[in-house]
Amino acid sequence: MHNSAYSACGMPHVYDSLQVDSLSSVQGLLEEGKRDGIVVSLPYKTEILQMLDEVAPDARCIGAVNTVVIEKDFISGQPMKRPILKGYNTDYIGIMNCIQLSLSPANSVKQGTSALIVGAGGMARAAIYACVQVGIQNVCIFNRTRENAHKLTEYYELIDTLDSPWPAQLRQPTVIVSCIAPDTPATFSIPEQWLCSKTSGVFIELAYTPLATPFTKQMQSKVSRGWILVDGFEVLVEQGVAQFEILTRRPAPVYVMRDAVQRSILNAILLLNGPNLNLLGTREPHLYGTTALKDIEQSSIELGTKLEARIETFQSNHEGHLIDRIHAARGVADAIMINPGAFTHTSVAIRDALLGVNIPFIEMHITNVHTREAFRQHSFLSDKAAACIIGLGVFGYEVAIEHAARDLVNK
């Protein structure tokens, strides 16, 4: 994400990762003079505070730093004797931005707005601070280990058990933030008696490996009631954008960073459509249906997101363009889904391109080609395809995506 942003901005910076096994190793990184900043992850976000010269007020309040700027050039026009270390917290900024961007007008923050924080670790502190910053004064905390939760309850309400009712003096929560660490996934569901907001709300999941957590799967069923789901991918991007701007002091290329994160987290599936498929919706609807290609592509992208896959779409009426797109997928796409149209029966070149990039592919046809003209019953691709999905109408695209996302990309 950061390296993609640096490249897009023409900056010479490099973001790399380093695993350290002690706090003294972190101090060595800060003092060696080779870096302009470091990003800190657990378990050192709290311990690093003692090493810093300055700590931003929000980071001090949260009690954790995840971004350190190393200033080592000049102060008052004179060379510095040693670097000045400044600490910041962007975790809460990522959460705060997601709350602000996702709350519907019906759930705009008011005096009685309530929030539920699930978890009691360091990220829970950032989540509480984010809620306070957007104006939410009523915050409840639930944690599997009651003792840990008590550390945060000096100013906030503690819900003791999953059987507990929502506090009677508070409105139902319209903001819920899950701060459960991905290495200890939740073995429980959010109780229904805590999900009774008449205007629903926003649910934010901080974990992103995997994107589909037990809580997001539970809350997916609430979308029809108006709940908005924000996964850890979005939070990661928002805090990364804040981090970039603190480290570089310039606006972040948000779309570049979002695309980079998406590419690194999600499996990439290329959806190709061949000649005349741009006419879907109006072309021989008795055979091909009335669904337009743009609608097929949009629903494919949405289904892919649910299955933790990034769907890229491309359509062309020209054989060479399709071949070029197949070549461009090498080293990028994990699977290809292709409806070759009439090229199915004529193109040795597309067959060779698919074999040349060595990416598993699924051949698709909206109609049952084996019940149509004889020339449509021969395919130059079928014997090399991982699967052939034929005659299911546009539903075949959904079947292909599910198979590609769940089976092909893991091989």
Side-chain angles (χ1 to χ4, degrees):
M1 172 171 60
H2 286 278
N3 284 330
S4 295
Y6 297 148
S7 177
C9 294
M11 300 172 69
H13 299 64
V14 174
Y15 183 102
D16 58 8
S17 60
L18 182 64
Q19 187 79 26
V20 297
D21 55 8
S22 68
L23 190 61
S24 60
S25 299
V26 177
Q27 185 158 10
L29 291 175
L30 294 170
E31 295 175 348
E32 66 182 10
K34 297 180 180 179
R35 292 172 172 79
D36 296 310
I38 67 170
V39 173
V40 185
S41 61
L42 293 172
Y44 302 116
K45 289 184 180 182
T46 299
E47 295 177 335
I48 199 172
L49 286 166
Q50 61 187 291
M51 302 178 181
L52 305 178
D53 299 296
E54 299 178 18
V55 178
D58 45 24
R60 180 75 67 185
C61 184
I62 295 168
V65 161
N66 72 333
T67 306
V68 178
V69 175
I70 304 174
E71 294 187 354
K72 56 188 177 183
D73 294 327
F74 296 89
I75 184 168
S76 301
Q78 300 297 318
M80 292 182 181
K81 294 182 179 179
R82 67 173 184 83
I84 301 298
L85 308 178
K86 297 183 177 182
Y88 302 86
N89 187 297
T90 64
D91 290 327
Y92 92 89
I93 298 176
I95 301 168
M96 179 180 68
N97 288 351
C98 286
I99 294 173
Q100 293 175 322
L101 292 169
S102 303
L103 275 178
S104 67
N107 289 319
S108 59
V109 176
K110 306 175 182 67
Q111 185 173 0
T113 299
S114 297
L116 168 64
I117 308 299
V118 183
M123 289 302 291
R125 293 178 179 272
I128 292 171
Y129 192 83
C131 289
V132 172
Q133 290 303 298
V134 299
I136 301 174
Q137 300 178 4
N138 303 313
V139 179
C140 291
I141 301 164
F142 173 78
N143 191 59
R144 290 170 293 187
T145 306
R146 180 182 172 87
E147 291 73 21
N148 291 340
H150 270 295
K151 299 174 184 178
L152 296 176
T153 57
E154 182 178 355
Y155 303 105
Y156 304 105
E157 189 89 18
L158 174 65
I159 302 178
D160 290 321
T161 71
L162 293 170
D163 296 324
S164 300
W166 184 255
Q169 73 276 20
L170 300 180
R171 294 179 184 174
Q172 283 277 326
T174 52
V175 173
I176 301 176
V177 185
S178 168
C179 306
I180 302 294
D183 56 345
T184 57
T187 55
F188 61 92
S189 297
I190 299 172
E192 288 295 320
Q193 68 266 25
W194 303 349
L195 299 173
C196 297
S197 167
K198 294 180 180 179
T199 54
S200 300
V202 57
F203 172 83
I204 299 174
E205 173 63 84
L206 302 189
Y208 56 87
T209 51
L211 278 180
T213 68
F215 285 153
T216 58
K217 291 176 182 178
Q218 175 194 1
M219 295 302 295
Q220 187 66 46
S221 65
K222 311 297 182 186
V223 171
S224 60
R225 286 170 36 188
W227 281 91
I228 296 172
L229 270 58
V230 179
D231 58 36
F233 161 83
E234 289 296 335
V235 181
L236 177 64
V237 171
E238 289 294 335
Q239 75 84 23
V241 166
Q243 218 161 44
F244 177 92
E245 294 180 347
I246 288 172
L247 290 168
T248 66
R249 299 179 182 176
R250 65 171 62 190
V254 179
Y255 294 107
V256 171
M257 298 178 75
R258 176 170 281 106
D259 182 68
V261 172
Q262 194 175 51
R263 288 177 182 275
S264 68
I265 292 178
L266 304 180
N267 295 311
I269 299 174
L270 175 62
L271 171 58
L272 296 175
N273 282 285
N276 299 312
L277 290 165
N278 56 303
L279 300 178
L280 284 175
T282 58
R283 174 196 177 193
E284 300 177 273
H286 62 289
L287 289 176
Y288 299 101
T290 57
T291 305
L293 179 61
K294 63 178 179 142
D295 295 325
I296 293 173
E297 291 177 335
Q298 182 58 39
S299 61
S300 296
I301 291 170
E302 292 172 358
L303 177 58
T305 300
K306 292 179 182 177
L307 297 173
E308 299 187 25
R310 175 172 51 86
I311 308 295
E312 293 190 5
T313 64
F314 182 79
Q315 187 276 331
S316 179
N317 296 318
H318 305 284
E319 184 179 36
H321 292 172
L322 289 167
I323 291 170
D324 287 342
R325 189 63 187 86
I326 293 169
H327 289 176
R330 180 162 46 186
V332 177
D334 298 293
I336 294 175
M337 304 183 307
I338 181 168
N339 184 340
F343 288 142
T344 305
H345 326 295
T346 63
S347 183
V348 175
I350 289 179
R351 172 192 174 96
D352 288 346
L354 289 166
L355 294 178
V357 297
N358 194 31
I359 299 171
F361 71 92
I362 298 172
E363 178 185 348
M364 301 180 297
H365 298 283
I366 293 173
T367 66
N368 184 352
V369 294
H370 298 295
T371 63
R372 300 182 65 186
E373 303 95 327
F375 69 84
R376 295 186 191 273
Q377 298 178 27
H378 172 71
S379 169
F380 279 102
L381 308 182
S382 294
D383 65 312
K384 297 299 182 181
C388 297
I389 299 173
I390 297 170
L392 295 181
V394 297
F395 175 64
Y397 285 86
E398 295 184 28
V399 176
I401 291 169
E402 294 223 9
H403 178 55
R406 291 174 175 167
D407 299 314
L408 294 189
V409 297
N410 294 321
K411 290 186 177 181

